[in-house]
């Protein structure tokens, strides 16, 4: 098409642009349609899979976890609603709801002891103890999923990482970086002293005492003045030191 | 679980900070609660009626974790029991504490049941017989603290269920039941 100067030329150029645009839109639409079709296929296959392996999903935590990952990749959330296809097919909406309620219960019961911060491992153990009679096993992954559902309800539950461990927070108390570092330090023996904090973290005495006092006030730490060396120890119940101090908290009601 | 004799110790007993009085109110409340329950429970299973604060009461220390309760802590926990009506100080100096793992009213009920079980409705018995006689064997009354028993009996006397009177020997009293 030969470019012609003048108004006619402009009109032609505009028409050409329009045509290209239409073409572009068509291509885009084609692509979208194709993708939608692919996704629909994915979903159908996923539903099929879920139907076939319903029992495995229910009974096997590892399998269940992988299933969730698959769903996530395809943009399906089996837990999105308690009604609907997924909930009915798998009945796992209830499963996580149940776990969620039990987790809230356990956190409330142990709060006077640990200040509202509990080790994920410990939480799972307590959960398993409670569900001893149930046929369905519970994994840490299940706990995390149940907790993320709780978060959606705005219940103030959160999972935080301290060092290599995961802690579940059930109170609004925010932990700042200093607190986090102390908790991490405490993981070695279950407690810290002011001296240790100063030395290991290279802090001033004031900074160490400030942080420890806040943790104490928040109920996350307990003091221990009974050691013969006379040094005050700050123990952290949420940081379970796997030794003779490991709790199974027999006063948690079942 | 660690045991003291045949008593299963709760796990908090092995956690060192519980042997130090906690300054934070909520934590302290939890601590006092745990200690109160354990003390009453232990006394009930071991049939201990009196705790002396200066004594080597087994719950006051845990050699495994090398911790022991300060005098102040002991007093705090026992005072809490007193406030609950589950204990009484036997002296103004708070050195000896009577533990009521059954309340006095409960002991009174036990005496009444004992009377009924043994057909003693119109009988006479000495106080000593009630707590150490043949009939008492196998019951909770066997070996019960005399102070506690007297209090229970006085309660029943006020209700008209019995009458206490001085016996033949200088320090033994008798009871006439009229249940």
């Amino acid at each position: 098409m030969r470019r012609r100067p003048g108004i006619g030329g402009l009109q032609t150029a505009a028409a050409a642009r329009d045509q290209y645009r239409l073409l572009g839109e068509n291509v885009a639409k084609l692509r979208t349609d194709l993708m939608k079709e692919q996704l629909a296929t994915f979903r159908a296959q996923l539903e099929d899979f879920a139907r076939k392996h319903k029992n495995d999903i229910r009974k096997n935590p590892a399998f269940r976890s992988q299933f969730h990952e698959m769903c996530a990749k395809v943009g399906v959330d089996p837990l999105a609603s308690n009604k609907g296809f997924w909930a009915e097919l798998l009945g796992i909406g209830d499963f996580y709801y149940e776990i969620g309620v039990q987790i809230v219960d356990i956190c409330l019961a142990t709060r006077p002891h640990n200040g509202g911060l509990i080790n994920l491992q410990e939480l799972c153990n307590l959960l398993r103890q409670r569900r001893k009679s149930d046929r369905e096993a519970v994994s840490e992954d299940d706990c995390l999923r149940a907790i993320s559902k709780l978060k959606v309800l705005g219940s103030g539950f959160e999972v935080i990482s301290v060092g290599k461990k995961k802690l579940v927070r059930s109170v609004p108390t925010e932990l700042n970086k200093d607190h986090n570092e102390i908790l991490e330090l405490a993981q070695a023996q279950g407690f810290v002293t002011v001296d240790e904090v100063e030395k290991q973290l290279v802090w001033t005495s004031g900074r160490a005492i400030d942080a420890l006092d806040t943790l104490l006030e928040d109920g996350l730490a307990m003091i221990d003045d009974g050691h013969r060396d006379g040094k005050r120890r700050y123990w952290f119940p949420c940081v379970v030191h796997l030794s003779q101090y490991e709790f199974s908290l027999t006063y948690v009601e079942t | 679980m660690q045991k003291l004799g045949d008593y299963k110790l709760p796990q908090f007993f092995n956690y060192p900070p519980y042997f130090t009085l906690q300054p934070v109110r909520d934590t302290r409340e939890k601590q006092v609660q745990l200690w109160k329950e354990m003390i009453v429970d232990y006394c009930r299973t071991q049939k201990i009626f009196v705790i002396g604060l200066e004594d080597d009461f087994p719950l006051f220390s845990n050699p495994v974790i090398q911790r022991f309760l300060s005098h102040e802590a002991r007093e705090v926990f026992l005072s809490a029991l007193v406030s609950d009506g589950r204990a009484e100080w036997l002296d103004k100096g708070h050195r000896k504490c009577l533990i009521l793992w059954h309340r006095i009213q409960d002991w009174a009920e036990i005496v009444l049941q004992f009377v009924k079980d043994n057909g003693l409705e119109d009988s006479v018995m000495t106080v000593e017989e009630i707590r150490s006689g043949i009939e008492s064997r196998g019951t909770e009354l066997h070996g019960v603290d005399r102070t506690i028993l007297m209090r229970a009996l006085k309660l029943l006397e006020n209700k008209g269920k019995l009458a206490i009177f001085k016996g033949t020997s200088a320090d033994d009293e008798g009871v006439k039941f009229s249940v």
Side-chain angles (χ1 to χ4, degrees), chain A residues 67-186:
Chain A
F67 173 70
H68 275 290
E69 269 183 51
M70 257 192 338
C71 288
K73 287 202 170 104
V74 190
V76 169
D77 183 358
L79 303 180
S81 126
N82 221 20
K83 306 188 195 294
F85 169 75
W86 290 103
E88 276 168 37
L89 172 66
L90 301 173
I92 57 178
D94 282 342
F95 173 65
Y96 285 102
Y97 175 75
E98 209 181 277
I99 294 183
V101 170
Q102 289 174 327
I103 286 177
V104 171
D105 236 13
I106 291 172
C107 287
L108 280 176
T110 58
R111 190 178 295 178
H113 170 66
N114 58 32
L117 205 60
I118 185 170
N119 188 296
L120 178 64
Q121 219 175 4
E122 193 185 347
L123 176 61
C124 271
N125 282 338
L126 290 172
L127 194 57
R128 282 187 203 116
Q129 274 180 34
R130 231 181 226 234
R131 297 174 62 87
K132 256 189 304 223
S133 52
D134 290 350
R135 336 111 257 163
E136 297 151 340
V138 174
S139 65
E140 275 183 22
D141 186 76
D142 290 324
C143 285
L144 288 172
R145 277 184 210 283
I147 291 168
S148 69
K149 289 300 148 191
L150 285 174
K151 272 175 74 175
V152 163
L153 295 172
S155 56
F157 276 69
E158 184 119 35
V159 178
I160 62 176
S161 288
V162 171
K164 298 188 209 117
K165 300 259 173 100
K166 286 200 169 72
L167 304 180
V168 177
R169 198 190 78 201
S170 60
V171 284
T173 318
E174 291 279 342
L175 287 182
N176 63 28
K177 195 160 167 296
D178 276 6
H179 299 152
N180 236 6
E181 287 189 64
I182 290 180
L183 281 180
E184 207 179 323
L185 193 62

Side-chain angles (χ1 to χ4, degrees), chain B residues 68-159:
Chain B
F68 60 89
L69 289 179
S70 66
H71 185 96
E72 190 195 353
R74 298 174 194 198
E75 223 196 306
V76 165
F77 300 147
L78 290 174
S79 294
L81 276 176
V82 171
S83 300
D84 276 1
R86 305 231 71 141
E88 281 178 14
W89 290 114
L90 288 173
D91 62 320
K92 280 219 168 67
H94 290 191
R95 276 184 311 248
K96 285 219 181 297
C97 196
L98 185 71
I99 308 296
L100 301 170
W101 35 270
H102 278 317
R103 294 174 203 274
I104 300 292
Q105 309 94 283
D106 300 332
W107 283 112
E109 281 300 314
I110 292 173
V111 169
L112 279 182
Q113 192 59 45
F114 171 78
V115 166
K116 289 189 183 127
D117 287 347
N118 292 285
L120 298 165
E121 281 85 347
D122 287 310
S123 310
V124 174
M125 224 181 195
T126 65
V127 171
E128 202 47 44
E129 272 175 325
I130 295 176
R131 62 186 287 270
S132 59
I134 298 182
E135 292 93 345
S136 73
R137 300 231 185 104
T139 73
E140 291 196 280
L141 287 176
H142 192 73
V144 67
D145 179 88
R146 216 189 140 88
T147 315
I148 289 181
L149 182 57
M150 287 312 299
R151 298 271 297 282
L153 293 174
K154 290 224 169 72
L155 186 72
L156 289 169
E157 191 179 43
N158 287 339
K159 288 193 177 162

Side-chain angles (χ1 to χ4, degrees), chain A residues 112-113 216-217 219 222-228 233 235-237 244-251, chain B residues 1 10-12 14-18 20-24 26-27 30-31 34 64-68:
Chain A
H113 170 66
L216 190 65
E217 277 303 317
M222 291 179 75
I223 53 167
D224 167 30
D225 291 333
H227 198 278
R228 336 167 242 254
R233 281 155 170 69
W235 290 80
F236 295 88
Q244 63 203 141
Y245 307 133
E246 188 173 29
F247 266 79
S248 65
L249 291 173
T250 51
Y251 48 86
Chain B
M1 239 192 232
Q11 293 206 317
F12 83 86
N14 282 331
Y15 201 55
Y18 278 107
T20 301
L21 278 177
Q22 295 301 308
V24 175
D26 287 348
T27 318
K30 181 68 188 178
Q31 177 185 33
L34 288 171
V64 173
I65 57 169
Q66 297 184 312
R67 295 289 187 278
F68 60 89

Side-chain angles (χ1 to χ4, degrees), chain A residues 232-245:
Chain A
R232 170 171 283 192
R233 281 155 170 69
Y234 290 80
W235 290 80
F236 295 88
C238 63
V239 166
V240 177
H241 176 48
L242 293 168
S243 72
Q244 63 203 141
Y245 307 133

